[in-house]
Amino acid sequence: MIDYNKTRILLEPNEIPKEWVNILPDLPVPMTPLINPMDGKPAPPELACAIFPKECVLQEISQDPLIPIPKELREIYAKSYRPTPLHRACGLEKELGIVGDDIKILFKNESVSPTGSHKPNTVLAQAYYSKRNGVSELITETGAGQWGSALSYGCNLFDIKCTVYMVRASFLQKPGRKILMRAFNGEVHASPSNLTDSGKIYFEKDPDHPGSLGIAISEAVEHSMRSDKSRYALGSVVNFVLLHQTIIGQEVKAQLNKIDIQPDVLIGCMGGGSNLGGLIIPFVRDKLQGKNPDIEIIGVEPRACPSVNKGTYRWDYGDSAKKAPILKMYTLGHNFIPSPIHSGGLRYHGMAPIISILSGKKIMSSVMHHQTEVITSGLMFAKTEGILPAPEAAHAIKEAVNQALIAKENNEKKNIVFCLSGHGFFDLLAYKEYMIGNLVDYELPSDEIQKALTAPDMPNVDETRF
Ligand SMILES: *Cc1c(COP(=O)(O)O)cnc(C)c1O
């Protein structure tokens, strides 16, 4: 008899965590500051507050181990989609020839959010604080559109205007997410646009310019600095976004407690590091405090954009336009342009400073997979679990499958937990190309990485000055 309470583990709305877990005070080394690209010095909070919502700036540098989630915000999470389920992947286990309870694969299902990914977890927090501070407009950029649609959804809920600069190539090729943004009242502009000085430089030369994430960031930042009532919204990488995502890991902990299971391995895909960070931080805190010393943590990157696996830990610009803060992180260089793989969310050149520190200190490890093997695992998951995963999330599935097969081979007992960061309903092109045999793998040549990392415009930050 299957005990369904052990295969689909749910929490009540009143079990939504009351605090976010801040890992900064427990890190083995102090967190590095955000550097102002204009003068190479740590950005003063006043400057950061002109760009981001004030509470987020305070959270970015807070040393409090737990930060309360406001009650109204918890109610909004509850009304919208949280807590999300934790599932035991029984179908996938069966497909892999795993019988009994020695090896378990479990996944946290963040695909049930209104826009189909974990991103609304931070959107709702950022929109909530913005509303409270009288901010009337949030502005951002988006590549493939996952972040833009999440922000449009959240802003609409709080009656805040949302403006999205969407890379023109995606704007034209991926109309689905653009329509979703507009359905939530988001104002979407193809970037480069003629609405900002940063965009006009390109737009006036070529109104069909395909754009880049770097240009779109410049447009969004410029737009957000125009008015005292508008702010820029960021979807990953920075500490406060990872903080908001810790709601994922805390729910997982409570859900595993309900079925009396301790995780042995935690797995997540890494673009900027926010869904992985959100899953692991509550467990990393225990690990750093000696409570679960043997837990293994694995971040998964695409072979086409392996920031931690192949990059260098150094100071670098957050964006190719050099307008965003400089961060100390694993990076492939802000000039690095990744191959056009389908996991748009994993094509960022850098990695969250928190994840970079945890990786550098060997508290976690990272692996890489090719997109064909990733999509193969994604389809296996769709057939066995009934959810077509986002190509990003399929990276985590591929690694969970590998871990389970190794454990089976070695007759080990292992509880494997991964984050299903999103569904793939807007990524059908990736699956179609796979089905017609058109999907290609990209491996990054090391001389290209070297070229991007030794570019003359890499920033020099003098750490002795702070
Ligand atoms: C954006 C996105 C990612 C990558 O971002 P992280 O900050 O690394 O989590 C992964 N999966 C999905 C579904 C996304 O939308």
Side-chain angles (χ1 to χ4, degrees), residues 2 7 88-95 105 384-385:
I2 296 178
T7 55
R88 174 134 176 221
C90 300
L92 182 62
E93 287 177 13
K94 189 167 165 223
E95 175 74 17
I105 305 176
T384 54
E385 295 297 326

Side-chain angles (χ1 to χ4, degrees), residues 116-119 146 235-237 269-276 345-346 390 392-393 421-422:
S117 81
H118 64 292
K119 289 192 170 80
Q146 283 152 323
S236 186
V237 183
C269 64
M270 314 194 276
S274 77
N275 85 86
L276 176 76
L346 305 185
E392 291 87 349
S421 55

Side-chain angles (χ1 to χ4, degrees), residues 137-260:
E137 182 182 13
L138 283 173
I139 302 114
T140 201
E141 75 290 332
T142 198
Q146 283 152 323
W147 172 238
S149 49
L151 191 69
S152 302
Y153 157 73
C155 285
N156 185 52
L157 207 63
F158 284 93
D159 203 17
I160 296 171
K161 183 176 176 196
C162 178
T163 304
V164 182
Y165 289 88
M166 186 173 189
V167 177
R168 178 171 283 103
S170 305
F171 184 90
L172 298 172
Q173 283 162 13
K174 300 182 178 173
R177 290 249 169 221
K178 173 175 75 189
I179 292 161
L180 188 61
M181 286 181 245
R182 288 183 173 155
F184 292 129
N185 272 328
E187 197 173 297
V188 192
H189 304 293
S191 166
S193 73
N194 61 358
L195 303 168
T196 67
D197 292 338
S198 331
K200 270 184 201 154
I201 304 171
Y202 302 93
F203 183 83
E204 283 171 358
K205 264 186 262 166
D206 176 12
D208 298 321
H209 192 293
S212 72
L213 213 47
I215 299 170
I217 292 173
S218 316
E219 290 206 270
V221 172
E222 181 187 325
H223 183 147
S224 66
M225 289 175 83
R226 257 187 225 149
S227 148
D228 200 28
K229 295 240 174 289
S230 54
R231 291 290 181 280
Y232 175 61
L234 253 183
S236 186
V237 183
V238 291
N239 303 339
F240 71 79
V241 173
L242 272 65
L243 177 83
H244 298 156
Q245 294 292 355
T246 60
I247 200 163
I248 299 175
Q250 292 184 86
E251 285 182 9
V252 167
K253 237 184 181 184
Q255 286 162 314
L256 291 175
N257 277 340
K258 283 202 172 189
I259 52 170
D260 219 1

